[in-house]
Amino acid sequence: MADWDNQPEDETDEAYEEAYDQHRAALYERLMAYADEHDLGDAFLADLVSDLGLSLRMVAYAAETEKPSIGGLRLDLDRYVRELGDSVREAKKHAADFIAEAKAAREEEEDEDDAGNVEETRQ
């Protein structure tokens, strides 16, 4: 496994982003398949994944820190809160685009469903 924290910045930026995007997409597909298989709602799945993210962050701190401490964990969790806040603020900036895309996808699904129903009626 690559240790992204110890690579020179100019070598990691592009490789990190590429790996991040690839793994994010693969995990997203698996999570959505799991959610479909178990009939989980999107909001419930988001809560589960958020909880897992927090747990994994805590495990990462304990595993990757030479001398983990309560205070160090608390500081790392403060950093995590800031990182999450940054992500939410960035998402808010693009909320209009997201909603437009979501509405377009919903309309496309409805059109496909309507076309399928018309085809079934003809047969």
Side-chain angles (χ1 to χ4, degrees):
M1 186 164 92
D3 184 0
W4 297 105
D5 293 333
N6 295 326
Q7 304 259 342
E9 257 187 64
D10 58 340
E11 292 179 20
T12 60
D13 287 347
E14 191 173 318
Y16 179 88
E17 286 182 33
E18 186 176 311
Y20 183 93
D21 290 344
Q22 176 186 355
H23 293 299
R24 183 190 186 283
L27 284 170
Y28 185 84
E29 281 183 36
R30 288 183 182 202
L31 284 169
M32 296 313 291
Y34 181 88
D36 288 345
E37 180 182 334
H38 297 281
D39 198 27
L40 303 178
D42 292 337
F44 184 75
L45 185 62
D47 288 344
L48 287 173
V49 173
S50 294
D51 182 51
L52 287 171
L54 176 60
S55 296
L56 288 170
R57 182 67 179 240
M58 293 172 72
V59 168
Y61 170 79
E64 297 171 3
T65 302
E66 190 173 320
K67 294 182 180 180
S69 66
I70 296 166
L73 176 59
R74 288 179 178 161
L75 288 172
D76 192 62
L77 292 174
D78 287 340
R79 280 191 291 276
Y80 187 54
V81 167
R82 284 192 300 276
E83 292 167 7
L84 290 174
D86 291 346
S87 294
V88 170
R89 280 187 291 283
E90 189 65 25
K92 284 180 173 182
K93 289 178 187 176
H94 302 286
D97 294 334
F98 177 82
I99 293 299
E101 290 173 16
K103 285 181 177 180
R106 182 182 283 182
E107 288 175 8
E108 187 176 311
E109 270 184 31
E110 289 172 357
D111 290 346
E112 289 173 3
D113 288 345
D114 290 344
N117 290 337
V118 168
E119 188 63 34
E120 287 176 13
T121 305
R122 289 183 186 164
Q123 294 176 354

